[in-house]
Amino acid sequence: MDTRYDTVIIIVIGVILAVWAFYGLRTWLKEPGPLVLKTIPINEEMDEGPAVDLLEDAGYELVGGKMKIPLAFKVNGHTVYSRLFIDYVAVRKGSTYMVKTSRRKRPMEWNGPDLRDRLLPYLLLYPGCVGVLYVDTDDQSIRLITLVEDIEEEEYEE
């Protein structure tokens, strides 16, 4: 009679393990692949200046100050290092934005290649980010740059 209870206990434990393995495997398969930069470390110290005033006047709340994001690339087995700089992180109506400020020594050209080369890394760096706010303190302007997902082939001409 003891063997029958032992068999029932082993079957119950086996069923529990099978159910646990099934749900674990299903969750693991649905989970997206690992992202190297899942979150951005927020620097809570913010410098005051004209860009901060422009953003606050436009209704943005600054939640992060200047940040340096270290990057590393493998090139033929050798590691090459670089970094990206984010001037601020701003929030408005529950949406998060990366903020880049204008630089007099390197003015922004408002064409596709310059936008791609200078701002695309910021749009891809943080998937929860709605876009990049480009603050031009000389013009007293804020431009919102977002990545358009669906473009028609005939619209694209290089």
Side-chain angles (χ1 to χ4, degrees), residues 27 37-38 45 48 63 68 80 99-100 113 135 138 141 157:
T27 303
L37 297 171
K38 283 192 176 183
E45 295 179 25
E48 294 296 320
V63 295
K68 177 173 56 173
V80 179
V99 178
K100 288 298 292 172
V135 179
D138 292 336
S141 65
E157 292 185 27

Side-chain angles (χ1 to χ4, degrees), residues 120-135:
L120 183 62
Y122 300 101
L123 293 168
L124 299 176
L125 182 65
Y126 182 53
C129 172
V130 172
V132 174
L133 296 173
Y134 187 83
V135 179

Side-chain angles (χ1 to χ4, degrees), residues 1-15:
M1 194 147 141
D2 286 332
T3 33
R4 191 164 57 151
Y5 289 120
D6 292 343
T7 306
V8 170
I9 290 175
I10 290 173
I11 290 173
V12 169
I13 290 173
V15 168

